[in-house]
Amino acid sequence: MLDGRPLVDVHLHPARLDGLKPSWETWVQGFDSPQLHALYDGPAVDPARFDAYLAAEGVDVAVVLAEYSPKVTGVQSVEDMAALAAGASRVRFAANLNPHLHFPVADELIRQLDLGAVALKVHPVHGGFPANDRALYPAYELCQQRRLPVVVHCGTSTFAGALNQFADPLLLEDVCRDFPRLHLVLAHGGRGWWYDAAAFLALTDERIWIELSGLPPSRLRTYYARQDWARLTRRMIFGSDWPGLPGISGNARAVADLCPDAETADLVLGGNAAAVYGFRLPPG
C-alpha cells in the first residue's frame, strides 16, 4: 500500500546481468546506486531482497518482464522471471514472444503461461517486427480466449539497433479489429511521436490502455496537452520502467497528484491494472 492506496507496478525489468547486451550504465539510464546493486546476488536479483524493496516502495503487485531481443537488449528468459516470482510474493511475470525466435508461437505461449505468466508482452521495436505481424495472431487469439492482456511496447527506444518505426500505435488497428475482445496495454504510452495517436486509441476503444512506464510524471500533461486530461487519466495504468527511474513510490505519488480526483488516482495506481490483469488487491 502507498499512502493507504493499493499500488500495482506493471512494468519492471529486473535484468539478469549475464543476459544483458547493453552495458549496465546504459541499462539503468543514469540511475545507478549502491541500493540497486544490493538487490543482486551474483548475476540475478535476489527474490527476498526484491520483495522487501517492493514492500518498502508500497508496491502490492509488480509485473516483471522477460524479453527475447538478442540483437538489441539481449535475452531475459521467462524462466528467470518465473524463478524471481516464485521467491517474491509480490511479483508476477509476463510472457514474451519474438516471432523471429519462437515457432509455433501459440505453443511457446502456452509453455510460458504454464509457468505462471499473467500477460503477454511483445516488443516490436527491439524484436524487429510489427505488432500486426500475422505470425503473432495465434498468440493473440490464445490471449483473447484466456482473457489475458497483451502489452505492446509503444514508444521510442534509444538502445542501439532499435527499429522505432515499429512503435507506431496505429499498427495495432488491425489487431483491435481482428480480436474484438482482446485488451491491449500500450507500454510507454506512445513515447516519442505518438502520444496523440495512443491517446486517441485509448479514448475511443475501452480495450486499450495507456501504460505510463518511462514517462516522467512532470511532463505527462505536456505530452498529452491536446487531450481531455480527466478522461484520459481514467484510461491509464501505472508502470515504472524500473530500474530506469529515481524510485517507484516517488513516481507513483507524482502521478496520483496529477489525477483530477481520488477515484481516478485509485484507478491509475491499482484499479485499472487489477481489472485488466485480473489481480486481487488489498482493500484501500
Side-chain angles (χ1 to χ4, degrees):
M1 302 282 283
L2 182 68
D3 305 330
R5 176 178 283 130
L7 176 60
V8 179
D9 185 344
V10 300
H11 198 114
L12 299 92
H13 294 283
R16 186 178 173 90
L17 302 182
D18 52 9
L20 273 179
K21 185 175 182 182
S23 69
W24 172 255
E25 291 75 17
T26 299
W27 182 252
V28 299
Q29 300 287 294
F31 294 106
D32 199 5
S33 70
Q35 293 77 18
L36 178 56
H37 286 273
L39 296 177
Y40 276 83
D41 180 15
V45 168
D46 179 83
R49 296 176 202 169
F50 192 51
D51 214 38
Y53 167 75
L54 293 172
E57 291 292 303
V59 178
D60 296 288
V61 182
V63 181
V64 299
L65 303 176
E67 184 172 335
Y68 293 91
S69 300
K71 290 184 178 180
V72 179
T73 55
V75 172
Q76 302 294 322
S77 76
V78 70
E79 287 80 9
D80 290 335
M81 300 303 114
L84 179 58
S89 63
R90 297 167 190 268
V91 174
R92 311 293 184 269
F93 66 96
N96 182 259
L97 291 175
N98 182 331
H100 298 310
L101 302 177
H102 298 126
F103 182 82
V105 294
D107 290 354
E108 174 60 19
L109 179 57
I110 290 171
R111 186 187 74 82
Q112 296 187 30
L113 295 178
D114 287 345
L115 293 174
V118 299
L120 169 62
K121 167 78 181 295
V122 293
H123 206 311
V125 171
H126 290 170
F129 56 87
N132 61 355
D133 190 325
R134 294 315 191 261
L136 289 166
Y137 269 34
Y140 294 159
E141 176 61 32
L142 184 60
C143 287
Q144 179 173 254
Q145 291 173 2
R146 298 198 182 189
R147 298 183 179 180
L148 299 174
V150 173
V151 184
V152 183
H153 178 102
C154 185
T156 51
S157 170
T158 59
F159 290 118
L163 298 176
N164 285 307
Q165 67 265 36
F166 291 141
D168 190 341
L170 293 183
L171 293 170
L172 293 169
E173 282 195 312
D174 291 344
V175 179
C176 295
R177 181 195 65 236
D178 295 337
F179 300 94
R181 297 180 305 282
L182 183 65
H183 280 261
L184 298 171
V185 178
L186 307 186
H188 313 298
R191 181 177 63 197
W193 307 288
W194 303 285
Y195 293 114
D196 288 329
F200 174 82
L201 292 177
L203 289 171
T204 56
D205 192 322
E206 63 182 8
R207 301 166 300 142
I208 299 179
W209 304 86
I210 298 291
E211 190 249 84
L212 299 175
S213 57
L215 304 181
S218 62
R219 302 180 70 178
L220 285 175
R221 294 296 298 264
T222 300
Y223 292 154
Y224 298 107
R226 295 194 289 183
Q227 307 301 321
D228 183 332
W229 182 250
R231 287 184 61 213
L232 187 62
T233 48
R234 297 182 72 87
R235 307 297 306 157
M236 290 179 174
I237 293 175
F238 179 75
S240 67
D241 213 13
W242 184 91
L245 80 166
I248 297 172
S249 60
N251 263 35
R253 288 190 176 104
V255 168
D257 288 343
L258 292 172
C259 294
D261 51 55
E263 179 186 6
T264 303
D266 289 343
L267 291 174
V268 177
L269 295 194
N272 287 338
V276 173
Y277 289 75
F279 297 144
R280 182 174 296 177
L281 299 180

